[in-house]
Amino acid sequence: MTELRDVETELDRLRTRLVVAALAVLLGFGLIAARLAWLQVVRHDELATRAEANRIAVLPLPPDRGFVVDRHGVVLATNDAATTLELTPSAIGGARELDALIDTLAEVVTITPGDRRRFRRWMDEGKRLDGIPLRTRLDDAEAARVAVQRWRLPGVDVQARLLRHYPLGATAGHLVGYIGRINEAEKKALEEGPGDVLANYRGTQVIGKLGIEQHYEDALHGETGFAEVEQTAGGRAVRELRSQPPRRGDSLELTVDAKLQALVERLFGDRRGALVAIDPRNGEVLALVSMPGFDPNLFVDGIDAESWRELNDSIDRPLLNRALRGTYPPGSTFKPFMAIAALTTGKRRADTVVDDHGRFVFGDRVFRNHGEHALGPTDLRRSIVKSSNVYYYSLAAEMGVDLIHDQLAPFGFGQRTGIDLPGELTGVLPSTRWKRETFKTPEQQRWYPGETISLGIGQGYNHFTMLQLARATAVLGAGGQRHVPHLVRAIVAADGSRREPPREVLAPLPLAPGHVRAVLDAMEGVTIEGTSARVFAGAPYRSGGKTGTAQAVAIRAGARYDAAKLAEHQRDHSLYIALAPIEAPRVAVAAIVENAGFGAVAAAPIVRRALDYLLLGQIPSEDDIVLTQQGRTAAPVGTPRRADEVPIEALIGLPGAIAAGAAAPAGE
């Protein structure tokens, strides 16, 4: 049977389908056109910028860090070219892939467990997008082996870097400081700094951590440059479009004499202590020694665990800057300042005589001279030359703690000096107010008159840094003129231009010239007929000084000091202050040798040899250096050598030439 079809109905259906299909096609083309319009017109600028960014990469060009040199051009901090092996974790994958890659690299170059630990620590501290060093200072053969194998080492790169280097090793380590990898706390501080500080550290992985390196970070770092390069979709650079070169960091010319610094460190030997030498005329620091020291080169690549434990756990505390952060009772070196305070306030005249019977009784307590030796009738000069305790016990009782504080605070005791180094401590120059604010209970806050007596001889609550003591000695030697101690003489730009850091101007102290002369005359007497006469025997220049012996631990009332019965770290400290030449001082020195006994035994001989270097241009003989280290000599022995004939390498045991300038002009 033939099927009858409704042709019209089917045609209608076909037409409907065609119309729907046409509308769908038109709608599709409309959506495409709308999308094109959205992308090409509305978002044109945004997408064009993105495309340009994909095509063009902006690469940071980190600057070279500035050098640090001493006053004669001896290089203390420089940059060495080195090849580093770096990994970019984000281009490698997860922890398993990273470990496998490092294992593979270990087949190509030596990778120690310490390298792995340091890499992990730096990876935890930094961004995973950055290249993180796995090995630094690859030799040429190692770099070549890595380059050949790079096709199978994703995320691995070999970079030419400038690494910080300290040519003198541990010499002046506390002073110069060191650099290290930027951690999260430092990154946050950069982000919160003024302007776009963080942007200036793009491509830079290190920052100053201590000493001059930290305090003058802004000057030493320089300005980061950039290079715009055209690249392929795979990230390969095709050509450079434009660039702005980095500006090298400024170099620092220090006031310090590196050879003097090295000599003093050598004279200390294995003993602990500090020495600070300052020019009273302008506040320039000639030496700032803290012993024992440390080699800042250990920190540049990231210090290994064994070296860190050795430094951090040592009973000698080599990481402590004793010149800046070690506070000590000044002992009898405090007496010249008590004397000038007595003259200024009228409590004593230079010819006032106190009968020294060897002991001073206050209430039910007895305060003694050393060994209870009676000096008899004692005026101001004799009190300093022979170091009478009784004279200053009675003076302290007459003055009282607050008058002592008010007279000696202007010399800088118990205050930060403002030196251009971070971390300076204030020390303690006590007063009744200080005690109320320091202690908690009413009984502790009360000042007892008996506590004042020991202040007169630099004991009790008195605790100062060697920097404060040297600065106060400089103020006395300059007749009251005050300068802020500073370590940087000039900041030198890459083009050779020089500028001085801003200096705070301080008003002079109104010291009467006659009072100053009386005290300085007494200090000169110390070196001629007093406690340091043996040490300065035969010196062709005039100097003034004062020995000091300070308790490291308190001795029970009524007990006698016996060094032989005490552990080495509990014995008295040896101190000495000096001014030279006394008629017109050009150097003020304060030194301490911890737990070494009398000031004339350990500290004064070191100061004598430092003055011989500064005023005569002499380096002690090798025999003299050894005997001084052992505390077995007073006046120099053997034939001294001319300073300009002894290279600094000979003092610190390093081979090769280091100094870029003259060694040390005598008498500067």
Side-chain angles (χ1 to χ4, degrees):
M1 180 183 291
T2 303
E3 182 181 357
L4 296 178
R5 300 175 60 190
D6 189 342
V7 177
E8 288 298 327
T9 300
E10 291 184 3
L11 287 175
D12 288 341
R13 290 176 181 170
L14 179 59
R15 293 189 190 100
T16 301
R17 291 177 183 147
L18 290 174
V19 169
V20 171
L23 290 175
V25 171
L26 289 174
L27 179 60
F29 276 109
L31 291 174
I32 292 173
R35 181 62 176 168
L36 288 174
W38 172 257
L39 295 175
Q40 297 288 348
V41 179
V42 178
R43 298 187 61 193
H44 174 272
D45 293 341
E46 175 191 348
L47 296 175
T49 302
R50 262 198 218 178
E52 191 70 8
N54 290 333
R55 184 180 69 91
I56 298 175
V58 180
L59 306 178
L61 302 176
D64 296 347
R65 196 169 180 86
F67 295 170
V68 179
V69 301
D70 87 330
R71 65 190 298 120
H72 303 302
V74 177
V75 178
L76 302 177
T78 184
N79 305 311
D80 281 351
T83 303
T84 65
L85 173 62
E86 301 184 3
L87 308 185
T88 303
S90 61
I92 297 170
R96 182 178 301 175
E97 289 80 7
L98 185 59
D99 290 339
L101 180 62
I102 294 176
D103 290 340
T104 301
L105 279 169
E107 300 172 1
V108 181
V109 296
T110 302
I111 306 293
T112 67
D115 294 330
R116 293 174 186 256
R117 288 194 297 269
R118 182 181 57 198
F119 174 80
R120 292 291 182 184
R121 186 176 72 251
W122 284 352
M123 188 173 70
D124 292 339
E125 292 175 355
K127 296 188 302 182
R128 294 178 60 85
L129 297 176
D130 291 340
I132 301 174
L134 177 62
R135 269 281 311 275
T136 57
R137 306 181 192 276
L138 294 178
D139 60 34
D140 292 342
E142 290 176 318
R145 289 201 298 272
V146 173
V148 170
Q149 298 291 329
R150 277 193 61 191
W151 63 272
R152 66 186 184 98
L153 302 172
V156 175
D157 201 5
V158 175
Q159 294 283 355
R161 302 280 190 188
L162 287 177
L163 298 183
R164 202 61 161 171
H165 179 57
Y166 303 96
L168 302 187
T171 299
H174 283 288
L175 186 160
V176 176
Y178 60 88
I179 65 168
R181 195 170 178 85
I182 299 173
N183 58 37
E184 286 301 317
E186 290 158 341
K187 179 186 173 185
K188 184 177 180 181
L190 292 173
E191 291 173 343
E192 296 173 352
D196 198 11
V197 178
L198 184 60
N200 195 38
Y201 280 80
R202 288 188 60 197
T204 300
Q205 299 175 335
V206 295
I207 196 169
K209 298 280 188 177
L210 198 71
I212 288 292
E213 292 275 29
Q214 180 181 1
H215 190 82
Y216 285 92
E217 171 65 26
D218 291 345
L220 288 166
H221 177 262
E223 294 181 3
T224 299
F226 69 87
E228 282 189 2
V229 297
E230 188 175 8
Q231 63 183 9
T232 65
R236 185 173 61 85
V238 176
R239 62 190 176 102
E240 184 179 290
L241 301 178
R242 68 188 183 99
S243 66
Q244 176 178 307
R247 181 185 66 80
R248 195 188 76 190
D250 298 330
S251 293
L252 303 179
E253 180 184 300
L254 304 188
T255 62
V256 170
D257 186 324
K259 188 173 284 189
L260 172 63
Q261 183 88 14
L263 171 62
V264 173
E265 292 182 9
R266 178 89 184 277
L267 291 168
F268 266 91
D270 294 331
R271 296 174 294 180
R272 301 174 302 279
L275 179 145
V276 178
I278 297 177
D279 189 332
R281 301 168 297 179
N282 50 29
E284 291 187 350
V285 177
L286 305 175
L288 193 143
V289 173
S290 176
M291 293 299 291
F294 66 92
D295 186 351
N297 289 301
L298 292 172
F299 293 87
V300 173
D301 296 339
I303 189 168
D304 62 89
E306 182 178 350
S307 297
W308 173 250
R309 280 194 301 271
E310 184 178 343
L311 291 174
N312 197 48
D313 298 342
S314 171
I315 192 174
D316 292 331
R317 305 177 69 190
L319 294 177
L320 172 66
N321 187 339
R322 286 170 163 81
L324 201 68
R325 297 181 59 80
T327 60
Y328 308 89
S332 292
T333 63
F334 200 53
K335 291 174 180 177
F337 305 101
M338 287 292 295
I340 195 71
L343 295 173
T344 300
T345 59
K347 293 293 183 179
R348 298 279 170 87
R349 299 190 310 273
D351 59 357
T352 300
V353 174
V354 173
D355 200 2
D356 182 344
H357 297 290
R359 55 172 55 195
F360 178 80
V361 180
F362 186 86
D364 60 352
R365 293 190 61 187
V366 178
F367 297 85
R368 298 179 174 85
N369 277 347
H370 177 72
E372 295 192 46
H373 296 299
L375 296 177
T378 302
D379 61 6
L380 184 140
R381 185 179 190 279
R382 183 172 172 80
S383 76
I384 292 176
V385 171
K386 298 301 182 182
S387 200
S388 167
N389 284 354
V390 170
Y391 186 96
Y392 291 97
Y393 289 146
S394 64
L395 175 59
E398 293 175 32
M399 293 184 66
V401 61
D402 286 331
L403 184 57
I404 294 173
H405 174 277
D406 294 345
Q407 286 295 308
L408 297 187
F411 283 88
F413 289 115
Q415 306 165 46
R416 293 184 178 89
T417 65
I419 192 172
D420 44 352
L421 281 181
E424 181 183 7
L425 294 187
T426 60
V428 175
L429 178 64
S431 65
T432 53
R433 178 180 177 181
W434 166 83
K435 200 174 185 192
R436 286 195 306 270
E437 294 176 349
T438 302
F439 295 96
K440 295 181 179 180
T441 69
E443 187 71 14
Q444 293 173 321
Q445 292 173 340
R446 179 185 173 188
W447 186 271
Y448 296 92
E451 294 176 315
T452 306
I453 308 304
S454 57
L455 298 182
I457 64 165
Q459 294 286 169
Y461 289 114
N462 283 326
H463 273 74
F464 313 123
T465 65
M466 285 304 103
L467 177 60
Q468 288 176 359
L469 190 56
R471 194 270 185 104
T473 305
V475 172
L476 181 61
Q481 294 293 326
R482 297 188 297 174
H483 301 278
V484 176
H486 55 275
L487 288 160
V488 173
R489 174 188 276 182
I491 300 174
V492 184
D495 60 5
S497 60
R498 298 162 57 90
R499 68 183 189 277
E500 288 188 5
R503 314 270 189 230
E504 182 181 359
V505 178
L506 301 175
L509 300 185
L511 302 179
H515 296 163
V516 173
R517 180 47 51 195
V519 175
L520 296 187
D521 177 65
M523 292 177 68
E524 183 178 15
V526 171
T527 69
I528 298 172
E529 55 185 298
T531 51
S532 66
R534 286 186 59 216
V535 176
F536 283 86
Y541 51 84
R542 297 169 57 199
S543 70
K546 184 68 192 80
T547 54
T549 305
Q551 291 180 351
V553 295
I555 303 298
R556 180 173 50 84
R560 296 181 183 276
Y561 174 80
D562 187 348
K565 295 181 180 179
L566 295 174
E568 193 267 344
H569 279 74
Q570 296 179 323
R571 297 171 187 168
D572 289 349
H573 300 316
S574 172
L575 296 100
Y576 195 75
I577 61 172
L579 286 162
I582 196 66
E583 62 273 18
R586 300 200 304 272
V587 59
V589 186
I592 185 169
V593 183
E594 292 183 8
N595 314 116
F598 300 124
V601 172
I606 294 176
V607 174
R608 163 69 194 272
R609 287 145 183 82
L611 294 181
D612 285 352
Y613 170 85
L614 286 168
L615 301 179
L616 306 176
Q618 292 181 351
I619 296 286
S621 66
E622 280 298 319
D623 289 341
D624 190 12
I625 289 176
V626 173
L627 292 174
T628 303
Q629 291 173 343
Q630 298 170 350
R632 295 169 52 199
T633 184
V637 297
T639 303
R641 299 162 288 178
R642 284 183 49 182
D644 56 2
E645 294 179 349
V646 180
I648 192 171
E649 302 90 331
L651 288 175
I652 60 180
L654 289 179
I658 293 174
E668 178 172 334

